[in-house]
Amino acid sequence: MLELRWNPIQKRWIIIATHRQNRTYKPPKDYCPLCPTKKGGLPTEVPAEDYDIVVFENKFPSLQPVPPEITKKGFKFFKCDKARGICEVVLFTSDHDGIMSEKPLSRYIKMVKVWRDRYQELGAKDFIDYVFIFENKGEEVGVTLHHPHGQIYAYPFIPSIIEQELNSSKEYLKKEGKCLFCKTLQEEKKDGRRIIVSNDSFTALVPFYASYSYEVHIYANKHLSSFNDFSEKEEIDLAAILKTILMKFDNLFGFVLPYIMAIHQQPTNGTGREYSHFHIEFYPPYRTKDKLKYLAGSELGVGAFINDSLPEEKAQELRKTLPQEVILV
Ligand SMILES: [Zn+2]
Ligand SMILES: [Zn+2]
Ligand SMILES: [Zn+2]
């Protein structure tokens, strides 16, 4: 069973994807489906002896280009729709045990170029409204395959968090004549206490209103709506600040820090150019070296996050963690 169901109360789509129950769960290292296929070994997703960066369609997709038809029988009040979309997997390296923060800047630049390419190609399809590039990293956030990889979901709708952000930005633009993200970044820079590091094109900070202890947002300094607006220098600058933040994360507690990374940018249905602003959000689940944050009553029940640390202090901690400047190689 695969379909979209509309929650009219919370105004959001839910993807019902029961076939995902059978997906690969923590296979032994020898059987990693994301490694290159070894001579005489079991076939993997990549039928090659080695690779650089690979993108392929997810075997257990939550959205499909040709989804099953839905039977609207018995539904008058409730609304459902076909789960039409595309889910892709991006392999960052062929190195199974590779640590991304140790990889050279050139790998990050390639990664950014691949993301840009996928954003444009998937976004150009008429049934795709939003291309979401993200990474779940670490068992703590439920990762089942340890090989360094990210994902891309191309949705036939605008996901609710994006819609909420864009509605706020649109409203602000109407009232104040300015992009809300540009304004927020301007205020963060004026204050300065939550800025971690920056280069010509991007600024990394712990937002004033962070909900997680080590939440980090990377904002484009200029009003770039999406990857479409990037110059070559901006691609390199994004790669450099990404690598810098990952190095800081891994140096923070001396282990590879798990996180959820979300790239937020303009929808691909043609709307929102003036009020969408390219940014990346990182959500590491650790509150301290040995304590995790769990979403509980207040967070899941009513959406009121409790952050038990001060964003100004956490930003200072991350600022002091090496490297202190944006990495150039
Ligand atoms: Zn692997
Ligand atoms: Zn802006
Ligand atoms: Zn956002």
Side-chain angles (χ1 to χ4, degrees):
M1 160 71 93
L2 178 65
E3 67 181 27
L4 303 182
R5 291 190 178 183
W6 177 249
N7 174 341
I9 297 165
Q10 293 187 338
K11 285 192 173 178
R12 61 179 182 188
W13 286 105
I14 306 298
I15 303 169
I16 306 285
T18 57
H19 62 292
R20 278 171 56 85
Q21 293 284 8
N22 305 321
R23 82 201 141 125
T24 327
Y25 183 75
K26 285 186 200 162
K29 189 186 160 185
D30 307 13
Y31 298 108
C32 174
L34 308 183
C35 272
T37 302
K38 290 182 192 81
K39 263 192 180 154
L42 285 171
T44 68
E45 294 287 350
V46 195
E49 272 178 51
D50 198 13
Y51 61 79
D52 198 4
I53 289 185
V54 168
V55 180
F56 61 89
E57 269 197 45
N58 196 320
K59 266 240 174 88
F60 300 93
S62 311
L63 300 158
Q64 294 173 356
V66 188
E69 287 297 325
I70 49 162
T71 48
K72 280 195 174 126
K73 263 186 208 159
F75 293 113
K76 259 195 173 153
F77 171 72
F78 292 118
K79 194 164 95 177
C80 50
D81 209 341
K82 283 191 285 190
R84 191 173 186 204
I86 297 166
C87 296
E88 292 185 339
V89 177
V90 185
L91 307 182
F92 298 145
T93 166
S94 63
D95 178 6
H96 182 88
D97 295 312
I99 293 172
M100 283 310 289
S101 61
E102 292 173 358
K103 299 289 177 196
L105 180 61
S106 56
R107 179 147 301 271
Y108 285 79
I109 296 172
K110 280 181 198 160
M111 197 167 79
V112 168
K113 286 184 187 293
V114 167
W115 284 341
R116 178 182 189 160
D117 172 81
R118 300 322 298 149
Y119 173 79
Q120 291 175 336
E121 190 173 323
L122 297 173
K125 298 187 191 295
D126 59 355
F127 59 96
I128 298 303
D129 282 358
Y130 197 84
V131 178
F132 177 44
I133 299 165
F134 66 104
E135 181 186 359
N136 300 331
K137 184 172 178 179
E139 271 180 51
E140 293 87 338
V141 299
V143 169
T144 51
L145 296 170
H146 295 295
H147 197 113
H149 72 285
Q151 299 187 66
I152 303 173
Y153 277 18
Y155 300 93
F157 55 84
I158 297 177
S160 66
I161 288 185
I162 299 298
E163 185 154 64
Q164 209 179 349
E165 286 191 3
L166 294 185
N167 281 342
S168 309
S169 190
K170 193 175 171 180
E171 204 180 291
Y172 190 83
L173 180 76
K174 226 174 170 182
K175 252 194 341 221
E176 307 290 337
K178 199 173 173 150
C179 159
L180 180 58
F181 298 96
C182 285
K183 173 67 175 172
T184 304
L185 179 60
Q186 188 192 342
E187 292 297 319
E188 285 288 9
K189 281 181 170 167
K190 210 195 286 172
D191 182 298
R193 285 174 299 163
R194 290 171 300 275
I195 307 281
I196 302 166
V197 78
S198 64
N199 59 15
D200 289 347
S201 316
F202 294 91
T203 301
L205 52 92
V206 178
F208 174 75
Y209 43 77
S211 21
Y212 281 75
S213 297
Y214 295 97
E215 181 173 334
V216 169
H217 292 197
I218 297 176
Y219 278 86
N221 289 338
K222 268 198 338 203
H223 183 79
L224 307 177
S225 307
S226 72
F227 276 127
N228 286 338
D229 296 343
F230 275 49
S231 67
E232 182 117 30
K233 172 164 166 58
E234 281 155 351
E235 287 179 359
I236 297 168
D237 283 354
L238 179 63
I241 203 161
L242 267 173
K243 176 170 167 147
T244 307
I245 291 302
L246 261 56
M247 287 175 79
K248 281 177 176 288
F249 275 164
D250 292 356
N251 285 333
L252 185 64
F253 299 132
F255 57 81
V256 175
L257 194 73
Y259 57 70
I260 288 168
M261 178 201 76
I263 299 187
H264 288 178
Q265 54 185 325
Q266 194 191 346
T268 56
N269 63 357
T271 64
R273 184 160 175 75
E274 319 78 48
Y275 51 87
S276 300
H277 188 121
F278 184 96
H279 62 284
I280 303 184
E281 302 179 0
F282 283 95
Y283 295 97
Y286 278 85
R287 298 189 278 138
T288 64
K289 193 175 182 158
D290 47 20
K291 283 200 191 82
L292 287 169
K293 173 167 180 73
Y294 292 101
L295 299 192
S298 189
E299 288 87 359
L300 265 179
V302 292
F305 271 79
I306 299 158
N307 181 351
D308 57 11
S309 50
L310 195 62
E312 290 74 25
E313 283 175 12
K314 293 293 139 182
Q316 192 187 23
E317 212 179 311
L318 285 167
R319 194 160 55 232
K320 283 184 178 162
T321 304
L322 294 174
Q324 288 184 354
E325 299 289 328
V326 174
I327 222 76
L328 296 171
V329 283

